[in-house]
């Protein structure tokens, strides 16, 4: 009989996780040496990322804490600045290592803690409610879908992880407490990437994917079903393996201080970081700490070349991203060449078993560092089943997966295609590459929004410059001190004030109204018809859209993409935070056929209607990339029922909803019809040419949606 899984069930055992060698190794290295800096786990959905992370907590050694301390101070060395201190000689609690999960929708106060401002003003005391950073001290902080967290929360989280302390500052009242934890984040790249500067703050990164080996997939399913049927019994069968691994972690921790990082290894680390042009020095430090932890994990007191190589594979791929569309990865041939060049003369020569200079590819080291099963290997040993049955053969996970790599923006133009076989779409031409992207002008949505923090349009946000004060709506956010004092001052006599303290009531509190910038939904409507199909012209159009995608990435927007050609319009990319997915769709975009402009605009109207219901606070910016031509069903262009007339009606429908719009005019040649400008007027938006889209264009005027809508308003008034 199947028993229901509940919150009191034992965790899925770490040693029962099948495959995923890189992930298990990275987690274990951080368990041995938390100074490595945490792990970022990238991978597709359903690959047991969360299961492996949660299972790690059961392997961590238990900790002693001061009894009653909310900040988990160690009895032997309590934090001198602990808000619950100073600690005397009191009871000691012995408890398992905590694993604290940070939900995606957490607030800043929930993360760092909150001060009771009312008591601070009226009583002069620091009444502090600890947050998740305090709960995670001396434990594990797990952030699932870290790429979906608000940027300011990620900044606070990584700052605390780097400094080992959390600071809460509110209107001159400050609290500091220790916050040292093992940081583990997981993410699905399909839902958007982290900024490169935030990626750099994670010590290690690993890519995970489901195995393509049927035997291994069968074993995964078999174990999961066994665990769901009897969690306690399944955990008991793996208890011996868990104890053995727990003991090995403890031994590696004891050995770690005695590991020597020699000059040769240091030179290899520095040369590797320089060869891959990694910015800053954090990569060198993380590699050094990782190589040291690898040696301790292998039971050695000196760092070997195999440790340096494995450390590079874990610490450098995510630091190689220079462009937001670049895929993390590392050229292993280049890595081996660099290590060989800086091997040094003190390295013992490798045994020559074949009588020549080439190593035996089938030898024990042919699988790369850590490939063997002995204690010198860098990877954790493959665990057998509880009855000693071996697992299915492992398949090494690539460090950069071809199927998931985002496109490079400088993709070369494809060669002329072979004639299409019969049955292909009539008039369709294959995709062409985009020109090199450029920095675009900022396109704003008019008015003042209240959407998610970003960098595009003006909005009331939790961060930014203070523009006023108001009564709190729910929990108090940022206190406006002057307005609070001003509200409380007239009532001091009636409230019987005595002494210097200010008598403050809840009704006196005022929170600051701040103005910053928000992220928007940028919906691209791209003309892929035959009128745009000239190869050089379409390359320029794709380059412009790619540039706008890059701008959307930098401004923290969601993006969507509609393409129209032939007889209709397609939602090529539903609204998402992954601009990499948008770049991939753009590169694969074929062209040819008629120009159903009205269908593209009507599709945009439908998509925006649905998105307003899903996320009403996120305002939209419609970007139509076209030359303005419209063809389709029979009917003269501007005559009633003609393609241009239908497109005009669809554009006015969008304008009636208040949709902010920009038309990127792609018309080329000495004779211009000006159809894109007419479309922009129907949309009550603005039209800009490809040249004017460039931020460095000398001839372009500064154009915003707000300015154009103001112009339309003046014309109507006239």
């Amino acid at each position: 009989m199947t028993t229901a899984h509940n919150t009191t069930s034992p965790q899925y055992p770490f040693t029962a996780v099948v495959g995923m060698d890189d992930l298990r190794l990275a987690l274990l290295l951080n368990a041995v040496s938390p100074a490595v800096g945490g792990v970022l786990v990238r991978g597709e959905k359903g690959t047991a990322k969360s299961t492996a992370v949660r299972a790690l907590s059961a392997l961590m050694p238990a900790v002693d804490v001061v009894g009653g301390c909310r900040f988990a101070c160690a009895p032997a060395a309590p934090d001198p600045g602990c808000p619950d201190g100073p600690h005397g000689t009191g009871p000691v609690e012995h408890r398992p290592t905590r694993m604290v999960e940070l939900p995606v929708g957490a607030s800043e106060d929930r993360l760092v803690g909150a001060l009771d401002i009312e008591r601070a003003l009226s009583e002069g005391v620091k009444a502090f409610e600890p947050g998740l950073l305090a709960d995670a001290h001396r434990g594990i902080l797990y952030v699932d879908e870290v790429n979906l967290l608000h940027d300011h929360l990620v900044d606070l989280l990584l700052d605390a992880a780097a400094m080992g302390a959390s600071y809460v500052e509110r209107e001159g009242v400050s609290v500091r407490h220790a916050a040292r934890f093992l940081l583990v984040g997981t993410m699905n790249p399909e839902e958007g990437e982290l900024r490169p500067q935030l990626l750099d703050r994670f010590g290690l990164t690993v890519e995970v994917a489901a195995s393509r080996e049927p035997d291994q997939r069968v074993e995964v399913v078999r174990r999961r079903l066994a665990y769901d049927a009897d969690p306690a019994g399944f955990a008991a069968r793996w208890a011996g393996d868990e104890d053995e691994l727990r003991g090995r972690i403890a031994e590696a921790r004891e050995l770690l201080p005695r590991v020597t990082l020699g000059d040769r290894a240091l030179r290899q680390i520095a040369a590797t970081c320089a060869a891959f042009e990694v910015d800053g020095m954090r990569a060198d430090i993380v590699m050094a700490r990782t190589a040291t932890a690898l040696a301790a994990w292998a039971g050695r007191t000196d760092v070997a070349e195999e440790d340096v190589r494995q450390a590079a594979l874990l610490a450098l791929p995510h630091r190689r991203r220079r462009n937001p569309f670049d895929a993390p990865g590392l050229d292993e041939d280049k890595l081996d060449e660099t290590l060989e060049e800086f091997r040094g003369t003190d390295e013992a020569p490798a045994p020559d078993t074949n009588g020549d200079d080439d190593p035996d590819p089938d030898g024990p080291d042919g699988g790369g560092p850590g490939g063997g099963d002995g204690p010198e290997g860098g990877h954790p040993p493959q665990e057998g089943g509880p009855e000693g049955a071996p697992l299915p053969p492992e398949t090494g996970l690539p460090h950069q997966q071809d199927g998931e790599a985002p496109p490079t923006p400088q993709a070369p133009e494809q060669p002329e295609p072979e004639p299409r076989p019969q049955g292909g779409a009539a008039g369709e031409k294959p995709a062409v590459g985009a020109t090199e992207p450029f920095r675009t002008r900022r396109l704003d949505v008019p008015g003042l929004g209240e959407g998610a923090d970003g960098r595009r349009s003006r909005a009331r946000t939790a961060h930014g410059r203070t523009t006023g004060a108001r009564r709190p709506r729910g929990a108090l956010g940022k206190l406006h001190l002057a307005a609070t004092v001003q509200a409380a001052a007239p009532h001091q006599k009636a409230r019987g004030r005595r002494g210097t303290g200010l008598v403050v009531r809840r009704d006196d509190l005022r929170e600051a109204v701040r103005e910053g910038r928000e992220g928007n939904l940028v919906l691209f409507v791209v003309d892929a018809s035959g009128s745009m199909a000239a190869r050089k012209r379409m390359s320029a159009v794709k380059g412009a859209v790619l540039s706008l995608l890059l701008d959307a990435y930098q401004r923290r927007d969601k993006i969507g993409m509609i393409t129209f050609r032939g007889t209709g319009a397609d939602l090529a990319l539903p609204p998402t935070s992954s601009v990499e997915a948008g770049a991939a769709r753009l590169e694969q975009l074929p062209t040819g056929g008629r120009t159903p402009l009205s269908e593209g605009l009507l599709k945009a109207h439908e998509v925006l209607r649905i998105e307003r219901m899903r996320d009403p606070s996120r305002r939209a910016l419609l970007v139509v990339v076209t030359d303005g031509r419209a063809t389709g069903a029979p009917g003269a262009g501007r005559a009633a029922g003609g393609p241009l007339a239908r497109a005009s009606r669809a554009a006015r429908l969008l304008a009636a909803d208040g949709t902010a719009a920009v038309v990127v005019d792609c018309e080329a040649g000495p004779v211009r019809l000006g159809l894109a400008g007419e479309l922009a007027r129907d949309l009550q938006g603005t039209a800009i040419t490809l040249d004017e889209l460039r931020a460095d264009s000398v001839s372009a005027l500064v154009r915003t949606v707000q300015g154009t809508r103001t112009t339309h308003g003046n014309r109507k008034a006239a």
Side-chain angles (χ1 to χ4, degrees):
M1 188 173 81
T2 302
T3 58
H5 181 65
N6 55 62
T7 55
T8 61
S9 299
Q11 289 281 6
Y12 190 93
F14 188 86
T15 50
V17 174
V18 178
M20 298 196 297
D21 283 356
D22 285 345
L23 172 57
R24 294 192 298 144
L25 176 62
L27 292 173
L28 291 171
L29 292 178
N30 275 272
V32 171
S33 176
V36 166
V39 187
L40 176 64
V41 186
R42 298 164 45 92
E44 58 195 25
K45 53 187 175 294
T47 50
K49 301 186 296 292
S50 301
T51 299
V53 174
R54 293 188 177 100
L56 178 68
S57 60
L59 299 176
M60 301 290 286
V63 295
D64 291 331
V65 300
V66 174
C69 177
R70 297 174 297 167
F71 301 88
C73 282
D79 180 12
C82 177
D84 284 355
H87 299 298
T89 56
V92 175
E93 297 179 8
H94 189 72
R95 72 182 189 199
T97 295
R98 285 178 176 172
M99 193 189 78
V100 177
E101 295 193 39
L102 174 62
V104 170
S107 65
E108 180 178 338
D109 286 346
R110 185 70 186 98
L111 176 64
V112 301
L115 288 169
D116 189 332
I117 300 296
E118 186 174 353
R119 290 189 62 194
L121 289 175
S122 59
E123 303 175 27
V125 298
K126 296 180 181 179
F128 181 69
E129 183 66 28
L132 294 176
L133 292 179
D135 293 342
H137 180 47
R138 303 176 66 200
I140 301 172
L141 182 60
Y142 173 49
V143 188
D144 195 13
E145 307 294 352
V146 64
N147 53 325
L148 301 184
L149 276 180
H150 286 300
D151 285 341
H152 73 282
L153 290 182
V154 178
D155 288 332
L156 290 170
L157 176 65
L158 296 178
D159 284 343
M163 296 185 296
S166 175
Y167 294 84
V168 182
E169 303 281 349
R170 295 289 170 84
E171 304 297 341
V173 181
S174 64
V175 171
R176 174 220 169 265
H177 64 83
R180 291 183 293 274
F181 46 81
L182 194 165
L183 176 63
V184 183
T186 59
M187 60 175 283
N188 183 351
E190 295 177 355
E191 297 172 339
E193 286 283 0
L194 277 174
R195 289 178 286 158
Q197 58 268 42
L198 297 181
L199 281 173
D200 184 53
R201 303 294 287 273
F202 282 92
L204 310 179
T205 186
V206 291
E207 297 271 351
V208 296
S211 172
R212 301 299 185 256
E213 289 291 327
D215 290 343
Q216 198 171 41
R217 296 175 74 97
V218 166
E219 186 64 20
V220 170
V221 174
R222 180 181 291 122
R223 293 186 185 184
R224 185 70 211 189
L225 292 177
Y227 171 76
D228 289 341
D230 183 9
F234 185 83
R237 290 195 293 274
W238 289 89
D241 298 292
E242 292 283 286
D243 289 341
E244 181 180 349
L245 189 57
R246 191 178 295 110
R248 186 175 174 185
I249 292 173
E251 292 173 0
R253 281 190 166 194
E254 293 180 3
L255 182 61
L256 184 66
R258 303 198 299 273
V259 176
T260 302
L261 183 65
D263 288 342
R264 175 184 55 79
L266 273 173
R267 287 182 62 81
Q268 287 182 318
I269 290 171
T272 300
C273 293
F276 286 100
E277 301 179 352
V278 177
D279 294 334
M281 295 298 298
R282 184 176 283 116
D284 304 64
I285 296 170
V286 171
M287 271 191 67
R289 290 171 174 168
T290 305
T292 304
L294 280 162
W297 176 252
R300 290 184 270 101
T301 56
D302 62 312
V303 174
E305 181 178 314
E306 65 191 57
D307 301 323
V308 176
R309 187 183 192 278
Q310 185 65 51
L313 294 175
L314 293 172
L316 296 187
H318 61 302
R319 295 183 166 90
R320 288 278 297 147
R321 288 187 71 205
R322 298 301 183 89
N323 186 288
F325 303 138
D326 291 342
L330 210 64
D331 185 341
E332 296 194 33
D333 291 336
K334 182 177 179 180
L335 173 60
D336 291 335
E337 291 173 3
T338 303
L339 294 176
E340 174 71 25
E341 180 181 356
F342 288 86
R343 176 168 291 165
T345 57
D346 57 339
E347 179 81 0
D352 185 2
T353 57
N354 296 328
D356 54 36
D357 294 335
D358 295 329
D360 183 2
D362 299 323
D365 296 328
D373 294 331
E376 301 298 318
H379 286 288
Q382 175 61 42
E383 305 294 339
E387 288 79 24
L391 294 184
E394 298 294 339
T395 57
L397 296 178
H399 295 278
Q400 180 175 346
Q401 300 178 35
D402 296 335
E404 298 179 356
T408 56
Q410 296 85 3
E413 193 171 56
Q414 298 181 6
E416 290 294 336
E418 298 293 331
R420 292 182 60 85
Q422 292 184 353
E428 180 177 299
K429 297 184 179 180
V432 298
T435 58
E436 185 174 353
F438 51 84
R439 189 166 63 92
T440 66
R441 295 186 178 278
R442 187 176 69 206
L443 305 173
D444 297 350
V445 177
L448 193 63
E450 294 186 350
D453 288 351
R455 295 185 178 181
R456 183 172 296 280
S457 305
R458 294 175 55 235
R460 294 187 181 94
T461 62
H463 302 84
R465 62 186 181 90
T466 301
T467 59
R470 66 184 179 189
R471 293 181 182 273
R473 300 175 181 176
L476 178 67
K478 300 288 185 179
L479 179 76
H480 195 296
L481 182 59
T484 299
V485 173
Q486 187 176 7
H491 308 290
Q492 296 304 294
K493 185 175 180 179
R495 293 173 182 174
R497 173 186 171 184
R498 290 179 175 82
T500 58
L502 188 68
V503 180
V504 180
R505 304 280 172 82
R506 177 71 185 176
D507 290 343
D508 301 328
L509 297 179
R510 299 292 184 272
E511 66 180 4
V513 176
R514 296 171 180 261
E515 182 177 314
R517 294 204 172 264
E518 66 178 359
N520 299 115
L521 167 60
V522 182
L523 181 62
F524 294 92
V525 180
V526 182
D527 186 348
S529 64
S531 66
M532 305 284 289
R535 298 184 67 81
K536 291 184 179 179
R537 186 179 179 194
M538 196 61 199
S539 292
V541 169
K542 284 190 174 183
V545 177
L546 194 62
S547 303
L548 289 167
L549 284 171
L550 180 60
D551 182 69
Y553 169 86
Q554 294 168 339
R555 300 192 187 281
R556 317 293 184 259
D557 295 319
K558 289 181 67 175
I559 59 112
M561 185 180 299
I562 293 170
T563 63
F564 59 93
R565 55 181 293 274
T567 59
D570 296 317
L571 180 59
L573 181 69
T576 176
S577 297
S578 176
V579 295
E580 295 82 3
R585 301 294 193 279
L586 181 68
E587 180 156 333
Q588 299 164 4
L589 178 65
T591 57
R594 293 180 175 179
T595 312
L597 177 57
S598 59
E599 281 75 4
L601 296 175
L602 290 173
K603 188 72 171 179
H605 180 267
E606 178 66 15
V607 170
L608 292 177
R609 183 185 66 82
I610 295 173
E611 287 303 308
R612 276 194 293 270
M613 291 189 292
R614 289 177 175 171
D615 190 358
S617 64
R618 187 181 289 269
R619 299 185 296 163
L621 174 63
L622 180 68
V623 179
V624 185
V625 185
T626 182
D627 57 8
R629 290 179 172 85
T631 59
R638 290 186 176 83
L644 287 176
R646 292 197 302 273
S648 178
R649 287 197 298 271
R652 290 196 296 270
L653 185 63
L654 286 160
D657 289 340
T659 303
V662 176
V663 178
V664 180
D665 186 357
C666 303
E667 191 172 24
V671 179
R672 295 175 180 267
L673 301 179
L675 297 176
E678 294 182 12
L679 176 63
R681 286 191 288 273
D682 289 332
L683 287 167
Q684 295 186 20
T686 184
I688 58 176
T689 65
L690 291 177
D691 287 339
E692 290 171 338
L693 185 62
R694 292 179 178 269
D696 55 357
S697 174
V698 177
S699 62
L701 299 176
V702 178
R703 296 172 181 248
T704 63
V705 178
Q706 176 67 60
T708 303
R709 292 177 72 91
T710 302
T711 301
H712 282 292
N714 293 338
R715 288 177 179 172
K716 289 180 180 180

